[in-house]
Amino acid sequence: MSIKLGPNRYGKAENRVVRVTKTGGVHEIRDLNVGVALSGDMDEVHLTGDNATVLPTDTQKNTVFAFAKEHGITSPEAFGLLLARHFVDSQPPIHHARVSLEEYAWERVVVGPGDKQYSFVRSGQETRTSRVHYDGENAWVVSGLTGLVVLNSTGSEFHGYIKDKYTTLQEAYDRVLATEVNAEWRFASEPGDWDKAYREVRGALLEAFADTYSYSLQQTLYAMGGRVIGAVPEVCEVRLSLPNKHHFVVDLSGFGLQNDNEVFFAADRPYGLIEGTVLTEDAPAPGPAWE
């Protein structure tokens, strides 16, 4: 029985590229997941292991990030066309390029002066939650939300931390700060309008995230919890879980490009996880509220 090689392709999947375009204090953000798949004269690499017609997948990854810097990202479609045409037109063995793109939309959070617009919230992600206990006499209510993804493209630093022989992290004096807000808040008394209270808490979380010049995500957590308690007097306790959604500046120097905090690799794991509670000094005992 004879066999033959059928259709095939190869490439670099799930290149998470975030492009920040800065116009003074007003930033624009495009957040893409880019997959590249190439096909063409690839028989020999399968049959004999000859790599002469293979463009390494690492090169494909580098091209995605370099193009984000050189050309910007005006739309997923335009960016995909640039990449696909480049791969086919620049490499004779490559006859076909498939570029798959997902875009994660962000809405601007504007707080204060209009010339400082670098805070964003992920569109359409959050889930509203609630948990209620009642024993025939007393009621305990905890409300919350999960999956509220937010990002500041500047206004954050991280330095002055403990360093030992295993420390490789470089101090940062201008970094992207991004997290997924998972929050629950306990009521000491019932508000007149639960929907209004939810909107006010959500707004307070976003405003505090955008307002706080952050030296650590812990500092931002405390500011967010405090802002909620100040905005909604019926709330006596806020619990927050904030994974640090790391954005690493991509080193483009090898391609003759300077990356001034414009192109980032969005890493999904591992991640720092910051958790904490902010409550009033006279908060009543929680009873079974958190169960």
Side-chain angles (χ1 to χ4, degrees), residues 60-72:
Q60 298 172 37
K61 175 203 70 177
N62 291 340
T63 304
V64 170
F65 288 111
F67 269 42
K69 168 62 179 177
E70 291 182 296
H71 302 283

Side-chain angles (χ1 to χ4, degrees), residues 16-17 28 33 36 86 102 153 157 181 206 220 223 255 282 286:
R16 287 285 283 105
V17 58
E28 300 290 339
N33 193 17
V36 178
H86 165 78
E102 297 174 341
S153 54
E157 304 179 20
V181 180
L206 291 176
T220 300
F255 320 126
D282 58 351

Side-chain angles (χ1 to χ4, degrees), residues 148-259:
L148 182 66
V149 182
V150 291
L151 180 151
N152 283 336
S153 54
T154 190
S156 176
E157 304 179 20
F158 187 61
H159 49 79
Y161 42 81
I162 294 173
K163 301 179 181 69
D164 65 14
K165 66 179 182 179
Y166 301 112
T167 301
T168 59
L169 182 68
Q170 299 297 307
E171 293 192 334
Y173 293 85
D174 181 15
R175 67 170 183 168
V176 166
L177 180 67
T179 187
E180 176 186 295
V181 180
N182 300 292
E184 290 189 312
W185 50 94
R186 178 167 65 94
F187 291 89
S189 59
E190 293 189 17
D193 185 330
W194 293 103
D195 286 343
K196 180 172 181 288
Y198 178 82
R199 291 192 299 271
E200 290 176 341
V201 170
R202 183 183 185 276
L205 291 168
L206 291 176
E207 289 175 3
F209 181 82
D211 268 349
T212 303
Y213 190 98
S214 179
Y215 294 95
S216 68
L217 189 50
Q218 289 91 332
Q219 175 198 3
T220 300
L221 179 150
Y222 183 72
M224 294 169 76
R227 185 74 66 95
V228 168
I229 290 174
V232 185
E234 295 88 355
V235 172
C236 63
E237 183 176 357
V238 182
R239 295 187 178 185
L240 289 156
S241 178
L242 305 179
N244 198 335
K245 302 181 79 66
H246 300 293
H247 286 64
F248 298 111
V249 177
V250 180
D251 183 4
L252 301 175
S253 60
F255 320 126
L257 299 173
Q258 180 178 346
N259 187 2

Side-chain angles (χ1 to χ4, degrees), residues 74-133:
T74 58
S75 70
E77 293 82 0
F79 191 60
L81 283 168
L82 280 171
L83 289 167
R85 287 168 175 158
H86 165 78
F87 289 126
V88 174
D89 293 343
S90 67
Q91 303 296 333
I94 297 173
H95 301 164
H96 183 269
R98 184 189 69 188
V99 181
S100 305
L101 306 100
E102 297 174 341
E103 180 170 24
Y104 309 116
W106 297 85
E107 297 174 7
R108 192 182 306 282
V109 180
V110 180
V111 179
D115 60 339
K116 294 182 178 180
Q117 298 182 26
Y118 47 74
S119 297
F120 301 86
V121 56
R122 177 75 64 80
S123 300
Q125 294 293 306
E126 74 189 84
T127 299
R128 180 175 173 177
T129 66
S130 63
R131 184 167 58 254
V132 177
H133 291 268

